[in-house]
Amino acid sequence: MTNQNQMGSEILDCLGGFVDRHTQNTLAETAAIRDVSADGAGYKATLRMGYPCSLYKEQLAQELINHLLAAGLPQVEFDIDFEIATRSVQGNLKPMTGIKNIIAVASGKGGVGKSTTAVNLALALAAEGASVGLLDADIYGPSVPLMMGLEGRQPQSTDGKTLEPLEAFNVKCMSIGFLVDPEQPMVWRGPMVTSALNQLLSQTNWGELDYLVVDMPPGTGDIQLTLTQTVPVSGSVIVTTPQNIALSDARKGLQMFRKVNVAVLGIVENMSIHICSSCGHEDPVFGSDGGLSLSQQYDAPLLGQLPLDASIRTRVDSGQPSVVSEPESRVSGIYRQVARRMAGELANLSKDYRRLFPNIVVEDS
């Protein structure tokens, strides 16, 4: 028994030193290892990751086995699951009831693939086993109804007070595009837009969500600033292309979030390289390593780089985004990796405990 205990301790120490690619921390630092115990003639380890990993856990188990074997330790049977915690939000705001984490996907300018990224990241999180919602906050150009194949459908209300979100591919969706004629121009001023978004957020019956992904309006003006000050956001993601003009605006978006104390989980670089569909030649038509330089300049992780691929556009235009229509493709693999990395960065942040405290009201007696 003593030898078994000693071996179990060695296995625990070895696993604790394994660096998780999605959090960039060791399993000991993230407290992911719940138990290592003797199991008959072998050993069993129980892990609880802080990010969704249903599709990744078999690969992770194999990586851990290889890690143990390289250290001369025996193979271990792994029980790997995940548990999503509520993370802190900015200022004096509190997380919304039922929604553990709100993630804002933003860009300094339009045309960089922000909405496509938001949709595919939401789908990737859901594919990994998380409960996910998607809020289309782009009032002037809502695209979620088209991208999620929900055009022409309208949300219903069972109580006359809240709206039931529409659902596609296991993701709950809400958009102003569900409520207005798609050809009707939204000529609203800033306060009206902010009010409409707050209603879409707070008067939608989201249920219990691990993540609510918010497709933010492009830009860094009054609307975006007001939203980041009033919506309890756990973290943000900046979408850009390698082009200098896009990077310039992305910097503004990144600085906006940091100014209001919203954590920047990382940067996604779209259109990083064009791959010719005929010959396979790779050409960085918009420049190269722009996202990497932005990442290094502001000490924000580069979550991933997506190629300029016609299939990404055609899939969202048809309401069948890449992650669900071509799950085994290279593009879908990148989206899933970005989603896990994003969720891993979020898991590194401090937990929110304020929701557990009672509200104390002082009254005159």
Side-chain angles (χ1 to χ4, degrees), residues 28-95:
E29 289 171 324
T30 58
I33 306 171
R34 299 299 173 87
D35 181 60
V36 174
S37 58
D39 184 26
Y43 296 86
K44 183 175 181 178
T46 301
L47 273 66
R48 292 294 178 268
M49 313 306 290
Y51 56 87
C53 58
S54 293
L55 298 179
Y56 173 65
K57 60 184 179 181
E58 288 187 12
Q59 179 183 340
L60 175 58
Q62 188 58 56
E63 291 175 357
L64 292 170
I65 289 172
N66 294 340
H67 181 69
L68 290 170
L69 293 177
L73 295 172
Q75 187 166 313
V76 172
E77 180 185 346
F78 286 95
D79 174 12
I80 301 176
D81 206 340
F82 64 88
E83 185 177 347
I84 309 303
T86 301
R87 302 295 164 177
S88 297
V89 298
Q90 74 277 32
N92 295 320
L93 301 177
K94 289 185 178 181

Side-chain angles (χ1 to χ4, degrees), residues 304-320:
Q305 296 170 296
L306 276 300
L308 180 60
D309 191 321
S311 70
I312 298 177
R313 177 193 60 79
T314 57
R315 293 300 178 185
V316 292
D317 282 353
S318 65
Q320 296 284 325

Side-chain angles (χ1 to χ4, degrees), residues 135-137 139 163 174-176 179 186 188-204 227:
L135 174 63
D136 187 351
I139 293 291
L163 292 172
M174 182 52 67
S175 170
I176 193 69
L179 306 174
M186 303 301 293
W188 292 354
R189 295 187 183 276
M192 295 177 66
V193 173
T194 303
S195 175
L197 286 176
N198 282 328
Q199 289 184 54
L200 288 178
L201 176 63
S202 61
Q203 296 180 14
T204 296
L227 287 175

Side-chain angles (χ1 to χ4, degrees), residues 229-275:
Q229 291 174 329
T230 58
V231 176
V233 180
S234 301
S236 61
V237 172
I238 304 297
V239 181
T240 186
T241 68
Q243 194 174 5
N244 285 337
I245 191 171
L247 291 168
S248 175
D249 290 328
R251 289 186 181 92
K252 298 174 185 176
L254 190 151
Q255 290 175 322
M256 176 190 71
F257 282 114
R258 288 189 170 171
K259 182 175 292 187
V260 295
N261 296 317
V262 172
V264 177
L265 303 176
I267 297 162
V268 176
E269 183 185 88
N270 266 335
M271 310 178 200
S272 61
I273 197 165
H274 174 254
I275 304 174

Side-chain angles (χ1 to χ4, degrees), residues 61-304:
Q62 188 58 56
E63 291 175 357
L64 292 170
I65 289 172
N66 294 340
H67 181 69
L68 290 170
L69 293 177
L73 295 172
Q75 187 166 313
V76 172
E77 180 185 346
F78 286 95
D79 174 12
I80 301 176
D81 206 340
F82 64 88
E83 185 177 347
I84 309 303
T86 301
R87 302 295 164 177
S88 297
V89 298
Q90 74 277 32
N92 295 320
L93 301 177
K94 289 185 178 181
M96 293 182 60
T97 302
I99 301 176
K100 292 181 178 178
N101 299 288
I102 296 179
I103 300 175
V105 179
S107 64
K109 63 185 276 116
V112 298
K114 170 186 55 64
S115 296
T116 300
T117 299
V119 164
N120 276 292
L121 290 184
L123 292 170
L125 290 172
E128 292 288 355
S131 55
V132 183
L134 177 62
L135 174 63
D136 187 351
D138 193 349
I139 293 291
Y140 296 117
S143 51
V144 164
L146 172 65
M147 292 183 171
M148 294 293 281
L150 295 171
E151 273 194 311
R153 294 180 55 184
Q154 291 185 327
Q156 303 298 313
S157 176
T158 57
D159 59 7
K161 299 178 181 178
T162 59
L163 292 172
E164 297 297 321
L166 299 180
E167 188 167 333
F169 314 116
N170 294 319
V171 172
K172 296 177 180 180
C173 305
M174 182 52 67
S175 170
I176 193 69
F178 296 144
L179 306 174
V180 299
D181 188 319
E183 296 188 8
Q184 175 184 338
M186 303 301 293
V187 288
W188 292 354
R189 295 187 183 276
M192 295 177 66
V193 173
T194 303
S195 175
L197 286 176
N198 282 328
Q199 289 184 54
L200 288 178
L201 176 63
S202 61
Q203 296 180 14
T204 296
N205 184 19
W206 295 107
E208 299 291 325
L209 297 179
D210 293 318
Y211 305 100
L212 177 63
V213 177
V214 180
D215 178 18
M216 292 283 288
T220 54
D222 179 65
I223 295 173
Q224 291 79 6
L225 185 59
T226 301
L227 287 175
T228 56
Q229 291 174 329
T230 58
V231 176
V233 180
S234 301
S236 61
V237 172
I238 304 297
V239 181
T240 186
T241 68
Q243 194 174 5
N244 285 337
I245 191 171
L247 291 168
S248 175
D249 290 328
R251 289 186 181 92
K252 298 174 185 176
L254 190 151
Q255 290 175 322
M256 176 190 71
F257 282 114
R258 288 189 170 171
K259 182 175 292 187
V260 295
N261 296 317
V262 172
V264 177
L265 303 176
I267 297 162
V268 176
E269 183 185 88
N270 266 335
M271 310 178 200
S272 61
I273 197 165
H274 174 254
I275 304 174
C276 178
S277 57
S278 298
C279 67
H281 175 69
E282 298 185 357
D283 184 17
V285 293
F286 291 112
S288 59
D289 293 328
L292 179 61
S293 65
L294 186 66
S295 166
Q296 294 171 340
Q297 180 181 359
Y298 289 95
D299 193 25
L302 179 62
L303 301 177

